[in-house]
Structures are given as C-alpha cells and as structure tokens.
Amino acid sequence: MRLIRPALPRRLILATPALLIRPAAAEAPRTPAQMEGPYFPRAIPADADADLMRVAGQPREARGQPLLFEGVVRGRDGAALPGITVQIWQADAEGIYLHPSDPRLAQRDAGFQGYGRTVTDAAGRYAFRTIRPGLYPGRTPHIHLRATSADGRLNLTTQAYFPDSPQNANDFLLARLPAESRALLMTRLTAMDSGQRATLDIVLG
Ligand code: FE
C-alpha cells in the first residue's frame, strides 16, 4: 500500500505561530557608552540652546563647516522616546573647547557656543545646528553627547564620530570598541545646500 502524504505548503510552514514570536534578542542594541572626557563645560553658558552657530550677543556666527547634527532617540523596543534631554559639547573649528582646562582657551571662537541642549519631540527627534568639530591633539573629530530621561532612569554619555575622518583608524577610544559598537557611534553623513547633515540615532535602555 502506498502512503500518500501531501507536502505541507511552504506558506503554511512559515505562518506557524511559534515562528512568529519574536525572541527577546530582536531588541535593538543599546548605543554604547563612552567616557565623558575632561571638557564638559564647568559652567553651562548663558546661551545653551540647540543653535551652537549663533551665540546671543555675538555679532557673527561660528567659524567652520556648518553641520546639522540630528537623529531619533528610541528605546530598545524601537519606540521613539519623547522628552529626552540631549546635551552636546564639542571643540570649535580650531579644536578648542569651552573649558578653562583647554590650553588654547584664549584663541577660542567666541562666535561658537561650544555646548547646546535640547529635548526630543513627540517623535523622539533631536537636532542641533553646529559645525564639524576641529582636530585637537590625540583624538579623531567627535561630538560629546549625553541623553537623559526626565526621571533620570535612562542616562547615556557617549561620543559621535564621522565616517570620513581619516583619524578614526588611529583613535584610542574608537580602537577599544568592537566593530559593531563602533558602527553604532558613527554618524551618517548627507550633503545639504549649506554644509552637511550628520545623523545619529540613539538607543537607550
Ligand atoms: Fe573631546
């Protein structure tokens, strides 16, 4: 006697409920933390808004290549996180920080704010108008960033990098990260009418 066993249609196999359950491993990887570094401002400047190219009371804008630094902050489940405070601080076009310990503080660009702060909107978006940070000894160009929830439970301090910086290959802080983590701190660069856009999406959790 011949056993007739019709093959189960492929579509049916793929629709088996067990295969539709997403394992916890599908959660997005957290944005890696990096050290705060020595140059978080000792005193937050009077003008601390999201436009770092324009300082209240200064007659001209910052020197350097304009940069729109932006992205979305999400939880590990992919949901956008509104109300997250995002702070950035970075060197000016000549690589000088707004900090008394910077040896070249006297030559700092007074038209550059050096620090800025914003809060993510309903879609989890943040955006800063800034410049490409200049080089300073021993590092590849980077923007320091801190993202904090209102209740303080979510708190990340890290640094954002640029994929086109030749100094990335020799940076001691980037070098100690595995390649997957390095990729999560690398902005995506796109050209704009004036300057560039650097996008870094952040995952907190
Ligand atoms: Fe730095």
Side-chain angles (χ1 to χ4, degrees):
M1 191 179 134
R2 249 174 92 208
L3 266 173
I4 299 170
R5 274 182 75 189
L8 212 52
R10 185 165 280 270
R11 220 178 290 130
L12 209 67
I13 295 172
L14 292 176
T16 303
L19 296 175
L20 294 178
I21 297 169
R22 275 183 189 278
E27 288 199 322
R30 278 184 198 92
T31 302
Q34 287 207 299
M35 65 166 71
E36 176 180 302
Y39 294 131
F40 184 86
R42 196 166 284 173
I44 301 301
D47 186 352
D49 67 2
D51 184 357
L52 283 74
M53 287 195 71
R54 167 65 66 187
V55 179
Q58 287 293 329
R60 57 162 183 84
E61 293 206 320
R63 298 187 193 100
Q65 298 176 52
L67 184 76
L68 177 67
F69 177 53
E70 53 98 47
V72 177
V73 181
R74 297 182 194 281
R76 297 198 67 199
D77 60 358
L81 294 176
I84 300 290
T85 297
V86 180
Q87 304 174 80
I88 64 168
W89 64 103
Q90 64 166 91
D92 69 12
E94 301 299 323
I96 305 172
Y97 278 90
L98 172 63
H99 195 281
S101 300
D102 193 304
R104 293 187 296 148
L105 184 65
Q107 290 109 66
R108 212 181 79 77
D109 178 5
F112 181 59
Q113 203 168 280
Y115 167 94
R117 155 174 85 193
T118 191
V119 177
T120 57
D121 68 12
R125 303 207 67 88
Y126 71 91
F128 293 94
R129 187 169 166 260
T130 185
I131 57 161
R132 285 283 296 243
L135 274 177
Y136 68 90
R139 291 300 316 278
T140 193
H142 57 277
I143 295 178
H144 295 268
L145 178 149
R146 177 168 293 149
T148 316
S149 62
D151 63 8
R153 278 193 311 115
L154 300 172
N155 191 13
L156 170 74
T157 300
T158 193
Q159 303 183 24
Y161 299 88
F162 304 94
D164 61 353
S165 304
Q167 298 85 0
N168 285 348
N170 303 314
D171 189 76
F172 78 104
L173 274 187
L174 271 180
R176 61 171 72 158
L177 292 177
E180 315 86 75
S181 300
R182 224 176 296 149
L184 295 174
L185 297 181
M186 211 51 77
T187 56
R188 296 193 305 278
L189 284 177
T190 44
M192 295 202 307
D193 285 346
S194 66
Q196 291 177 308
R197 173 193 289 117
T199 303
L200 187 77
D201 293 335
I202 296 165
V203 176
L204 300 180

